[in-house]
Amino acid sequence: MSDVTDQWELAPPHTERETPFVAVPDPPAAAAVALDAPVRNLQMLELQITGGATEIYLAQRAPADTAASFDALPGKRDGDVTQVSNRRLVKEIITQAHAAGLKVNLCADAPAVTAGDKKAYLNHVAQGLEAGADTVVVGALPTARWIADTHPGAPLVAGAPLGVSTTAFAQRLQETYGVRRIVVPHAAGLDEIAAFCALDRLEVEVPVQTGSGADCHHCRLPDQPGSGLGCRAGYQNTPGDGAPVDLGGFLDGASDCALCDVPSLVALGVAALQIPGRESPIIRQNAKITQMYRRALDGVARGWSTKQTIADIDRVELTWQMGWVPRMCEQQRCRFRDTDRRRTHV
């Protein structure tokens, strides 16, 4: 078993432009940062509550006579469902989440909805709001406008499919559509996240522990078993006639750890950390990811250094040595650090 000090030293440095935004937060600030976890059934909800989630996001299956999904994912991915199966179950999940003190985000973030499906889409959203959803996550400007007009005052979240990559765009969404929170692209750096956090009255949600590339959800490559998300190329061109260098990340949708930089995200003032995995085939493992980030936030709240937090995780979590270290630390899958994989998509 490797020493926790050795694991700590495996993390590469930050990029030069991000180093000024690495900070030690005030411990009480950690309590203000939500953990937004995926849910698609009651068992998943129970596990995420146990794991320390304070928010959940879910999507309801679109009507049977609608060909497209009304959220950012298809009904199934690699054979695993991504959506709550029916309206009654959506209501039950939301009721139990609220009873546990969790906020509920309804995913209606399809990157495109046809005009012919407008009525069905709005009815779909209305059902979620009537069931008690606290916010609606949108993925396209037309659907944001439809909801703003039909449900004025409904809190909107600009989801990843909108690709909010500039502060001007974020402000436009806030002023024109009433968007109250944005989900930043996965490739956003600490400096960019800091710029979003500086905007007045706009919450910032940061995806962690997932890989989506610089232009999230817009590549449209087929999502087939074995090929991953398809939106991060892992090849680097070489000068002259040299062949492209394979950086080991082609069509790489694997995880990128942000545990070591949770203190900096807290210090920047992010509103929430988003855990991936509505389609996760192993829901206990997915909840374990939530628990790891809960431990990281709790470490900040105690005033611990990240090294202390990792030592505590190493002491109590078998998952750390058996899974996290070989998959993340040893492979340098570090979300906000200067790694070869990161250079392929930033």
Side-chain angles (χ1 to χ4, degrees):
M1 184 178 291
S2 61
D3 186 79
V4 71
T5 303
D6 295 334
Q7 295 165 13
W8 172 258
E9 291 173 351
L10 288 173
H14 294 88
T15 63
E16 289 185 11
R17 66 185 176 90
E18 288 182 308
T19 298
F21 298 91
V22 176
V24 177
D26 185 32
V33 180
L35 271 182
D36 189 12
V39 165
R40 65 172 183 266
N41 55 44
L42 289 169
Q43 183 186 12
M44 203 168 184
L45 172 64
E46 182 180 354
L47 289 169
Q48 294 293 3
I49 292 172
T50 302
T54 54
E55 296 185 8
I56 62 168
Y57 62 98
L58 54 78
Q60 181 179 337
R61 184 185 299 165
D65 58 352
T66 303
S69 169
F70 284 155
D71 59 275
L73 296 180
K76 288 187 178 181
R77 170 169 280 172
D78 294 345
D80 295 300
V81 298
T82 68
Q83 301 158 344
V84 181
S85 58
N86 60 73
R87 184 179 180 182
R88 177 195 56 77
L89 184 55
V90 168
K91 173 67 174 177
E92 191 171 355
I93 289 173
I94 292 175
T95 299
Q96 292 196 24
H98 283 165
L102 274 63
K103 179 179 176 180
V104 179
N105 303 294
L106 174 71
C107 293
D109 51 342
V113 178
T114 67
D117 285 331
K118 177 180 177 180
K119 183 177 179 180
Y121 174 84
L122 287 174
N123 183 58
H124 185 79
V125 170
Q127 289 179 3
L129 290 172
E130 289 167 5
D134 298 291
T135 74
V136 181
V137 187
V138 295
L141 294 181
T143 56
R145 168 53 63 200
W146 296 346
I147 296 172
D149 289 345
T150 309
H151 302 282
L156 297 185
V157 176
L162 266 171
V164 185
S165 56
T166 69
T167 55
F169 186 20
Q171 288 177 304
R172 177 71 173 174
L173 291 169
Q174 182 184 37
E175 295 165 0
T176 306
Y177 304 95
V179 166
R180 302 185 187 183
R181 178 186 287 188
I182 61 167
V183 179
V184 298
H186 183 267
L190 293 176
D191 53 337
E192 296 163 318
I193 292 169
F196 285 117
C197 288
L199 298 177
D200 191 30
R201 300 187 306 278
L202 187 69
E203 295 183 349
V204 176
E205 182 168 331
V206 179
V208 293
Q209 211 65 22
T210 186
S212 294
D215 193 15
C216 303
H217 300 281
H218 286 77
C219 64
R220 300 288 179 260
L221 288 177
D223 183 22
Q224 299 173 348
S227 74
L229 293 176
C231 46
R232 187 200 310 170
Y235 285 92
Q236 179 175 292
N237 291 330
T238 52
D241 298 325
V245 177
D246 183 358
L247 299 179
F250 181 61
L251 298 184
D252 176 15
S255 300
D256 294 321
C257 180
L259 279 179
C260 288
D261 287 296
V262 165
S264 293
L265 294 172
V266 173
L268 292 179
V270 304
L273 304 180
Q274 183 188 101
I275 308 298
R278 277 201 286 131
E279 76 286 12
S280 177
I282 309 174
I283 59 177
R284 290 187 181 277
Q285 181 175 318
N286 185 262
K288 179 61 69 174
I289 295 173
T290 303
Q291 186 178 39
M292 289 293 202
Y293 282 90
R294 170 50 57 202
R295 290 192 180 281
L297 285 171
D298 288 349
V300 173
R302 295 186 181 104
W304 290 355
S305 67
T306 303
K307 186 175 181 179
Q308 280 179 285
T309 298
I310 289 177
D312 185 62
I313 290 173
D314 183 49
R315 181 176 58 84
V316 300
E317 291 284 0
L318 181 64
T319 301
W320 176 254
Q321 287 289 348
M322 299 298 292
W324 211 283
V325 171
R327 288 192 61 219
M328 306 295 167
C329 306
E330 292 177 0
Q331 298 299 316
Q332 291 197 332
R333 289 195 174 278
C334 306
R335 165 75 187 278
F336 295 107
R337 303 302 176 98
D338 190 12
T339 68
D340 285 343
R341 280 187 173 83
R342 186 165 185 215
R343 291 182 183 188
T344 67
H345 64 96
V346 176

